[in-house]
Amino acid sequence: MSDVLNLSGISKSYKRGEPTEVVVLSDASITLKAGEVVGLVAPSGAGKSTLLHIAGLLDTPDSGKVSIFGQDQSGKSDRKRTRTRRQDVGFIYQFHHLLQEFNAQENVMLPQLANGVSKADAVVRAQLLLDKIGLQDRLTHRPAELSGGEQQRVAFCRALANEPKLLLADEPTGNLDPATSDIVFDALMGMVRDTGLSALIATHNMELAKRMDRIVRLENGQLIDV
Ligand code: ADP
């Protein structure tokens, strides 16, 4: 079976004129096998978001190879990369980015509708996911009517709506107080383990990282096993 994600020799700089070029990634490599959950730890500014955006095909590296299910993504058209991203990759950010004018159920339906799922099927899947994460009584609540932890749990359901094979999460509980963070993180890990998907989860929190299968540290632009 192909690896779910393979990043090989990834380099990325932000060029803002010669004196201010920022080298963020420099020969970074990692492989995620099916069902593997990996913690990505690094201080703020080390390049976690850049790495996750490259892994999720939202950004391109200056050099190196990104493969998803053994398929090299470098030479692919934007249309094909978008399709892979929509079908195979789920994203969770530190801030939920839910659409304020839609309720919880609708927010989980939207990526499915964008992916060609019928409205009837999208409702069923949205309710199933929200039910699993304990939000069955919040289906018609809009984001402003939900607590921070509840909003983030809706965002998890949205990320999993299209049954991705790979989950990329950027400080998924970083915006919550420690007690809520623990509960919400448990909910996320429960969903990840239930579905058996592979995940790369960036966190500052070493205690949370220790609950994953292994940990890598982003240091000087490279990924080092901890
Ligand atoms: P992290 O997610 O670990 O906090 P980022 O990947 O967001 O780190 O950023 C890594 C470094 O790259 C930071 O020093 C940041 O200032 C710089 N950076 C990020 N995006 C840009 C950009 N679009 N242009 C210039 N510099 C950037």
Side-chain angles (χ1 to χ4, degrees):
M1 194 192 215
S2 300
D3 295 322
V4 174
L5 173 71
N6 181 260
L7 301 180
S8 169
I10 300 290
S11 296
K12 178 82 179 176
S13 307
Y14 292 109
K15 296 182 184 67
R16 314 187 69 234
E18 216 42 66
T20 53
E21 175 170 352
V22 182
V23 178
V24 181
L25 300 173
S26 169
D27 200 15
S29 300
I30 187 170
T31 296
L32 254 75
K33 299 199 176 304
E36 199 176 27
V37 179
V38 178
L40 171 64
V41 294
S44 180
K48 293 187 300 279
S49 305
T50 302
L51 183 85
L52 291 170
H53 285 167
I54 288 173
L57 309 179
L58 287 166
D59 197 357
T60 48
D62 298 334
S63 59
K65 201 164 98 176
V66 179
S67 299
I68 295 184
F69 290 111
Q71 297 244 330
D72 182 1
Q73 300 295 321
S74 334
K76 303 241 162 149
S77 64
D78 281 352
R79 202 168 54 85
K80 282 195 172 150
R81 286 164 61 89
T82 302
R83 197 169 60 201
T84 301
R85 187 168 64 240
R86 272 203 192 141
Q87 289 177 349
D88 294 334
V89 186
F91 274 99
I92 301 171
Y93 300 94
Q94 182 174 356
F95 298 98
H96 57 75
H97 297 304
L98 296 173
L99 295 174
Q100 295 295 335
E101 63 274 38
F102 293 101
N103 66 34
Q105 179 176 298
E106 289 162 345
N107 266 284
V108 183
M109 288 171 66
L110 286 169
Q112 301 180 70
L113 301 177
N115 211 19
V117 174
S118 73
K119 200 170 163 188
D121 287 348
V123 171
V124 171
R125 173 128 183 100
Q127 290 187 355
L128 184 84
L129 286 166
L130 289 162
D131 186 51
K132 258 193 196 162
I133 210 160
L135 292 177
Q136 61 280 2
D137 298 329
R138 300 287 187 278
L139 300 179
T140 59
H141 284 55
R142 291 188 181 189
E145 298 165 333
L146 296 168
S147 72
E150 288 168 345
Q151 290 170 355
Q152 203 59 338
R153 281 190 277 159
V154 176
F156 296 169
C157 295
R158 180 187 53 186
L160 300 187
N162 284 328
E163 301 183 69
K165 317 291 185 308
L166 171 65
L167 180 72
L168 300 170
D170 196 352
E171 299 278 359
T173 60
N175 188 36
L176 305 172
D177 63 78
T180 309
S181 167
D182 274 356
I183 295 166
V184 171
F185 190 81
D186 278 347
L188 173 63
M189 286 301 276
M191 285 182 103
V192 168
R193 296 298 191 192
D194 261 11
T195 46
L197 80 169
S198 308
L200 185 56
I201 303 178
T203 177
H204 273 100
N205 186 327
M206 211 47 195
E207 288 311 307
L208 297 183
K210 280 183 189 157
R211 292 168 51 190
M212 303 183 208
D213 297 329
R214 63 189 172 94
I215 304 175
V216 291
R217 184 188 304 282
L218 181 53
E219 205 173 280
N220 299 324
Q222 303 202 322
L223 288 165
I224 298 153
D225 289 326
V226 174

